[in-house]
Amino acid sequence: MTEPALPAPTGSHPVGTTSVHLEDASRPDPWVADAPTRELMITIWYPAARPSGPRARYLTRAEAAEVLAGRSVGVDPDVLSSVRTHAFPDAPPDPALSGLPLIVLSPGFTRPRATLTSIGEDLASHGYVAVAVDHTHETAATAFPDGRVAAFALGHGFARTPEFWRKVKTGRARDVSFVLDRLLGGDPPWDGAAGLAPDRIGMAGHSAGGAATIAAMVADERIRAGADVDGSTDSLIPDTGLDRPFLFLGRDGQYAPGDGPAADTWARDWPLLTGWKRWLVVAGARHPSFTDLGLLADQLGMPLGAATSGLRTTAITRTCLRAFFDQHLRDAPHTRFDASIADHPEVRSAAPPRPGGVPRGNIRPSGVIE
């Protein structure tokens, strides 16, 4: 079997990466009763001064084994853990760069933070710092530096009620605010934190992580722009609305207006998003297509049944997110975002209908929603 590999980053900067263990002593773990503190692992990708040493490991073997446990997929944990990445562990940050925008990434429910590696690496290659968070006990496994592996803890005894999902999303919002507190406060846990711009922070997530982006933005005004990738939302936006830029990016057939309950959650939130906003859907994608899992499934001979390849959907996701954050954290012209979308025929803009079937606003060919 050919060694599976992530696509190369598209920017000009070599990418460094490091993993950091954080402990929030101000609160207990929300899921495990006898855990008095909330422990998290984060992965940071950043523009590096130069390539240095071997590439970063995708997952530890213990994490890979837990991710694959109970799945009849015929993939050895050693194969999954050794997916070829493009970042260099603990490479020195580029000292010539400062005021770097920071993007927090939140993975789907049960998915490790590693599944957002291709997005994180690409953002870093374009001069961003990207930080992916493992929301402990919500993912298949989280390995800590001392050898402990925190397994998924939300099986039997946790009914998947609306209250459960709300707890997931609001709990992730607290995780994200804590990560920001540590990275932007005194005595940060990463030497490169001095290069961050505290007024240029964004967040994006997949599935539950995408929905948690709204919860995090409502709770933390430091997050200036957010993106939900293929995640149905809860009614967390106050009646006064959310006036910061927001992007919905999902699969056609599930998240286009009128597609069903998932799309209905976006339609409910749409009028409450009172700042710049876009609603985009991608033809031929499946739920995992927006993460590393879609392109790895193709390479490992386990296609998801998507009409659009995982590699192509990854390219679309990278382009949309980067163009969105370029516009709202780097003041790039809005025409660049619209031009980026126009280059991808699989992507179309959408807006929910008004009651009675009257369209809400007009959609120009460029994708601008008025």
Side-chain angles (χ1 to χ4, degrees):
M1 177 183 294
T2 303
E3 180 184 74
L6 302 182
T10 59
S12 60
H13 297 283
V15 178
T17 187
T18 191
S19 292
V20 178
H21 175 216
L22 300 175
E23 186 171 5
D24 184 356
S26 71
R27 58 186 174 123
D29 190 280
W31 303 113
V32 177
D34 59 356
T37 62
R38 178 64 165 165
E39 292 186 81
L40 300 171
M41 288 297 299
I42 63 173
T43 294
I44 305 173
W45 294 277
Y46 53 89
R50 58 188 177 277
S52 177
R55 306 297 177 91
R57 194 170 184 84
Y58 188 67
L59 289 165
T60 69
R61 193 185 189 284
E63 288 173 323
E66 289 293 336
V67 168
L68 294 169
R71 301 175 186 269
S72 302
V73 293
V75 177
D76 189 274
D78 288 327
V79 173
L80 184 59
S81 67
S82 62
V83 169
R84 181 172 174 78
T85 70
H86 299 273
F88 300 93
D90 300 316
D94 188 338
L97 300 178
S98 61
L100 299 176
L102 169 65
I103 310 299
V104 181
L105 301 173
S106 181
F109 190 68
T110 77
R111 305 304 188 189
R113 67 192 189 277
T115 58
L116 302 178
T117 297
S118 60
I119 295 173
E121 289 185 339
D122 194 61
L123 286 168
S125 77
H126 287 271
Y128 287 87
V129 173
V131 178
V133 183
D134 252 2
H135 303 281
T136 313
H137 302 302
E138 297 176 27
T139 187
T142 301
F144 293 107
D146 61 5
R148 289 176 299 132
V149 177
F152 180 71
L154 307 184
H156 299 297
F158 289 92
R160 301 299 193 260
T161 62
E163 291 75 19
F164 171 85
W165 290 115
R166 180 174 290 243
K167 181 177 178 178
V168 167
K169 292 156 191 173
T170 57
R172 288 182 175 217
R174 294 192 67 181
D175 289 346
V176 168
S177 288
F178 171 67
V179 169
L180 294 178
D181 289 344
R182 291 301 317 277
L183 289 176
L184 302 175
D187 191 27
W190 174 53
D191 290 342
L196 297 173
D199 61 344
R200 294 199 287 169
I201 298 171
M203 181 175 171
H206 176 248
S207 194
T213 300
I214 286 181
M217 293 181 73
V218 169
D220 197 324
E221 293 187 352
R222 292 175 295 184
I223 304 171
R224 285 184 48 191
D228 176 355
V229 180
D230 219 54
S232 58
T233 60
D234 286 288
S235 54
L236 297 171
I237 303 176
D239 291 341
T240 52
L242 180 62
D243 63 359
R244 280 159 279 159
F246 202 84
L247 171 67
F248 282 131
L249 177 66
R251 59 200 145 124
D252 206 356
Q254 185 77 11
Y255 282 100
D259 277 345
D264 290 347
T265 68
W266 290 10
R268 179 203 59 224
D269 289 345
W270 187 253
L272 296 172
L273 295 170
T274 59
W276 184 103
K277 58 187 176 182
R278 294 290 189 276
W279 180 332
L280 306 177
V281 291
V282 181
R286 300 293 294 271
H287 189 52
S289 300
F290 299 94
T291 73
D292 298 348
L293 295 177
L295 57 92
L296 293 176
D298 289 348
Q299 293 179 38
L300 294 170
M302 300 180 297
L304 302 170
T308 301
S309 72
L311 184 63
R312 177 65 177 168
T313 305
T314 295
I316 290 168
T317 305
R318 284 172 156 188
T319 298
C320 290
L321 292 179
R322 189 175 68 251
F324 171 72
F325 289 122
D326 279 352
Q327 178 172 332
H328 299 292
L329 301 182
R330 286 179 157 165
D331 301 320
H334 75 272
T335 52
R336 186 181 303 174
F337 180 90
D338 297 325
S340 298
I341 304 312
D343 286 341
H344 296 84
E346 301 92 341
V347 182
R348 67 180 178 91
S349 297
R354 291 182 183 273
V358 180
R360 181 185 300 278
N362 299 312
I363 305 178
R364 300 179 186 169
S366 64
V368 176
I369 299 174
E370 298 179 314

PDB file of all heavy atoms in Angstrom, residues 19 47 120 133 159 189 222 317 325:
ATOM      1  N   SER A  19       2.902  20.500  19.576  1.00  0.00           N
ATOM      2  CA  SER A  19       1.734  20.130  20.370  1.00  0.00           C
ATOM      3  C   SER A  19       1.948  20.580  21.806  1.00  0.00           C
ATOM      4  O   SER A  19       3.055  20.478  22.334  1.00  0.00           O
ATOM      5  CB  SER A  19       1.495  18.618  20.322  1.00  0.00           C
ATOM      6  OG  SER A  19       1.086  18.219  19.031  1.00  0.00           O
ATOM      7  N   PRO A  47       4.170  29.718  10.553  1.00  0.00           N
ATOM      8  CA  PRO A  47       5.230  29.919   9.558  1.00  0.00           C
ATOM      9  C   PRO A  47       6.596  29.737  10.226  1.00  0.00           C
ATOM     10  O   PRO A  47       6.891  30.373  11.240  1.00  0.00           O
ATOM     11  CB  PRO A  47       5.029  31.368   9.105  1.00  0.00           C
ATOM     12  CG  PRO A  47       3.682  31.768   9.598  1.00  0.00           C
ATOM     13  CD  PRO A  47       3.408  30.951  10.808  1.00  0.00           C
ATOM     14  N   GLY A 120      -4.829  23.295   8.682  1.00  0.00           N
ATOM     15  CA  GLY A 120      -3.885  24.025   9.520  1.00  0.00           C
ATOM     16  C   GLY A 120      -2.558  24.281   8.832  1.00  0.00           C
ATOM     17  O   GLY A 120      -2.002  25.392   8.904  1.00  0.00           O
ATOM     18  N   VAL A 133      -7.790  22.118  18.409  1.00  0.00           N
ATOM     19  CA  VAL A 133      -8.043  21.718  19.792  1.00  0.00           C
ATOM     20  C   VAL A 133      -8.655  20.328  19.824  1.00  0.00           C
ATOM     21  O   VAL A 133      -9.639  20.062  19.128  1.00  0.00           O
ATOM     22  CB  VAL A 133      -9.013  22.713  20.481  1.00  0.00           C
ATOM     23  CG1 VAL A 133      -9.219  22.335  21.946  1.00  0.00           C
ATOM     24  CG2 VAL A 133      -8.501  24.147  20.354  1.00  0.00           C
ATOM     25  N   ALA A 159     -27.386  10.200  26.395  1.00  0.00           N
ATOM     26  CA  ALA A 159     -28.376  10.230  25.319  1.00  0.00           C
ATOM     27  C   ALA A 159     -28.129  11.443  24.431  1.00  0.00           C
ATOM     28  O   ALA A 159     -27.806  12.534  24.916  1.00  0.00           O
ATOM     29  CB  ALA A 159     -29.784  10.289  25.906  1.00  0.00           C
ATOM     30  N   PRO A 189       2.229  29.289  26.732  1.00  0.00           N
ATOM     31  CA  PRO A 189       2.870  27.970  26.693  1.00  0.00           C
ATOM     32  C   PRO A 189       3.635  27.691  25.411  1.00  0.00           C
ATOM     33  O   PRO A 189       4.126  26.582  25.225  1.00  0.00           O
ATOM     34  CB  PRO A 189       1.681  27.019  26.832  1.00  0.00           C
ATOM     35  CG  PRO A 189       0.559  27.754  26.146  1.00  0.00           C
ATOM     36  CD  PRO A 189       0.785  29.208  26.466  1.00  0.00           C
ATOM     37  N   ARG A 222     -13.416  38.333  21.321  1.00  0.00           N
ATOM     38  CA  ARG A 222     -12.107  38.378  20.687  1.00  0.00           C
ATOM     39  C   ARG A 222     -12.117  37.693  19.323  1.00  0.00           C
ATOM     40  O   ARG A 222     -11.257  37.974  18.480  1.00  0.00           O
ATOM     41  CB  ARG A 222     -11.067  37.717  21.592  1.00  0.00           C
ATOM     42  CG  ARG A 222     -10.777  38.478  22.875  1.00  0.00           C
ATOM     43  CD  ARG A 222      -9.826  37.715  23.787  1.00  0.00           C
ATOM     44  NE  ARG A 222     -10.419  36.477  24.281  1.00  0.00           N
ATOM     45  CZ  ARG A 222      -9.824  35.660  25.155  1.00  0.00           C
ATOM     46  NH1 ARG A 222      -8.615  35.963  25.602  1.00  0.00           N
ATOM     47  NH2 ARG A 222     -10.433  34.564  25.564  1.00  0.00           N
ATOM     48  N   THR A 317     -12.192  23.693   0.395  1.00  0.00           N
ATOM     49  CA  THR A 317     -12.295  24.117   1.794  1.00  0.00           C
ATOM     50  C   THR A 317     -11.150  25.036   2.164  1.00  0.00           C
ATOM     51  O   THR A 317     -11.353  26.094   2.782  1.00  0.00           O
ATOM     52  CB  THR A 317     -12.309  22.887   2.719  1.00  0.00           C
ATOM     53  OG1 THR A 317     -13.354  22.005   2.317  1.00  0.00           O
ATOM     54  CG2 THR A 317     -12.534  23.298   4.165  1.00  0.00           C
ATOM     55  N   PHE A 325     -10.814  34.463   5.722  1.00  0.00           N
ATOM     56  CA  PHE A 325     -10.005  35.080   6.777  1.00  0.00           C
ATOM     57  C   PHE A 325      -9.093  36.176   6.220  1.00  0.00           C
ATOM     58  O   PHE A 325      -8.815  37.166   6.916  1.00  0.00           O
ATOM     59  CB  PHE A 325      -9.213  34.014   7.528  1.00  0.00           C
ATOM     60  CG  PHE A 325     -10.069  33.140   8.394  1.00  0.00           C
ATOM     61  CD1 PHE A 325     -10.091  31.753   8.221  1.00  0.00           C
ATOM     62  CD2 PHE A 325     -10.876  33.690   9.374  1.00  0.00           C
ATOM     63  CE1 PHE A 325     -10.887  30.949   9.017  1.00  0.00           C
ATOM     64  CE2 PHE A 325     -11.687  32.886  10.178  1.00  0.00           C
ATOM     65  CZ  PHE A 325     -11.692  31.517   9.993  1.00  0.00           C
TER      66      PHE A 325
END
